[in-house]
Amino acid sequence: SSPPGTGVSAAAVVSVTALRDAGFASMPEDSMRKPLVPDEISYVIVYQNHTVRTSDTAIPEKLRPVIVRFNELVDRKGR
């Protein structure tokens, strides 16, 4: 459900707060491990004109809770 009067989902609000708390704007744009590991999942996250590319084995520690939350939301919606 949305916070009253916002029209924004509670999940989106939690995610935006988590991105800010993680210091997303100051993270390097490329956090990919080279070379990529076979079957590894890669992520491209864009928020407020800042892009971070990362993968399962290279997620910055401060970004890990955000990725976990996004994956939970995707899993829940996919059922």
Side-chain angles (χ1 to χ4, degrees):
S1 69
S2 301
T6 65
V8 176
S9 74
V13 171
V14 168
S15 300
V16 167
T17 301
L19 284 169
R20 275 190 258 141
D21 291 350
F24 183 78
S26 63
M27 289 183 182
E29 287 189 21
D30 187 358
S31 294
M32 298 289 282
R33 179 182 167 145
K34 311 260 186 314
L36 290 176
V37 175
D39 298 326
E40 183 174 33
I41 296 174
S42 61
Y43 303 90
V44 178
I45 302 168
V46 180
Y47 173 66
Q48 291 190 340
N49 297 319
H50 183 66
T51 302
V52 172
R53 290 171 183 79
T54 191
S55 58
D56 281 340
T57 60
I59 299 170
E61 273 308 308
K62 289 187 174 187
L63 189 57
R64 190 168 300 282
V66 177
I67 298 288
V68 167
R69 180 69 179 135
F70 284 147
N71 285 335
E72 288 170 351
L73 292 170
V74 169
D75 288 346
R76 189 176 312 146
K77 295 292 182 185
R79 293 182 183 160

